[in-house]
Amino acid sequence: TRSTRPQRLLNAVRKHATRGDPQSVISAIDHFCRHSEWAMNIGDEKGSILDSVVSELNPEKVLELGTYCGYSTVRIARLLPPGARLITLEFNADYAAIARQVIAWAGLEDRVQLVEGASEDWIPRMKEHFGIETFDFVFLDHWKDRYLPDTKLMEDCGLLRKGTVLLADNVICPGVPDYLQYVRNSLSYKSCYFKSHLEYTKAEDGLEKSVFLG
Ligand code: SAM
Ligand code: MG
C-alpha cells in the first residue's frame, strides 16, 4: 500500500533532522513542504510570528488545538521554560501516531502531552483530568468551525484567566469570520492581526492574537 503524506513527512525528519535538535526537525519539515509536498503546518513564515508570541509570553501552561504532525508543537515546546507543559489535542489517530514520533525525534516528549480525541470532548475535562487551573497560552489551529465554539467552551470551563493569550492560525485562509467577529468585538478581548502568508505559499493569511481581559 502507498504511504501517506504524514508518513513521508516523518521519513524526511528521520533522514534529515538530528535527534534531540528541534530546530533541525523544523527545518527538515519546512524543506519537505516547500520542495516535495505541501502540508498544513503553520510553516516557517507564520511560525516565526508564533515564536515571538511564545517567547514574549514565556507561558507555563499551554494548550494547542490541532496537532497534525507535530510541527507547531515542536516550535512551541522548544521555546518553553523548564517545567512548562504543553497539552496538544488531535482527533485523528494516524496523525497523532506520526506526531508522537516527530515530537520524540525533537527530544521534547517530556514537555508535551499529546491527547488523542476531540477538542469539544477534552476541553471540559482539562481540570479534572490534567489538573489545569487556567492556560497562559492557547494556539488554535484545528478545524475552522471549532474556533468559536471551543473558545466559548474554554471561557465556560474557566480555563482562561485575565491575560491568557489566544493565537489563532489561518484566520484569512481558509478563514474564520465568526471567530474574528467575536474576538474583535467582544469587550472581553483585546485583539490584533498579524499579516502573513498561508504556509509555503504567497497567498495572504495571518494570525489573530487575542488577550482575554476577564
Ligand atoms: N498545528 C499544526 C501545525 O501547525 O503543525 C497543524 C494542525 S492541522 C491545520 C489541524 C489538525 O486538527 C488536523 O490534524 C485535524 O485532524 C485536527 N482537528 C480538527 N478538528 C479537531 C478537533 N475538534 N479536535 C481535535 N483535533 C482536531
Ligand atoms: Mg494552520
Side-chain angles (χ1 to χ4, degrees), residues 59-158:
E60 290 192 347
K61 298 273 180 282
V62 179
L63 176 64
E64 174 177 71
L65 303 178
T67 318
Y68 189 44
C69 297
Y71 173 90
S72 55
T73 315
V74 167
R75 273 203 100 103
I76 297 167
R78 82 195 205 286
L79 299 172
L80 296 180
R85 225 163 123 207
L86 164 52
I87 297 174
T88 181
L89 302 185
E90 174 55 58
F91 67 11
N92 180 309
D94 295 329
Y95 297 166
I98 297 292
R100 278 185 210 289
Q101 297 173 76
V102 169
I103 294 160
W105 199 275
L108 293 167
E109 66 271 41
D110 54 333
R111 301 183 203 180
V112 176
Q113 202 154 3
L114 198 171
V115 179
E116 260 178 75
S119 53
E120 52 271 41
D121 297 331
W122 278 103
I123 287 170
R125 298 162 76 184
M126 285 292 153
K127 285 191 191 245
E128 44 147 334
H129 209 274
F130 299 106
I132 295 290
E133 281 301 319
T134 55
F135 286 107
D136 305 310
F137 178 63
V138 181
F139 178 52
L140 296 92
D141 192 22
H142 54 337
W143 294 161
K144 307 314 158 194
D145 60 352
R146 289 305 311 173
Y147 283 30
L148 183 55
D150 283 344
T151 296
K152 291 179 175 168
L153 194 54
M154 290 188 285
E155 290 174 12
D156 294 342
C157 293

Side-chain angles (χ1 to χ4, degrees), residues 40-42 46 139-141 144 147 169-170 199 205:
M40 57 179 166
N41 324 118
I42 188 170
K46 286 182 292 174
F139 178 52
L140 296 92
D141 192 22
K144 307 314 158 194
Y147 283 30
D169 189 25
N170 306 107
E199 49 266 32
D205 187 23

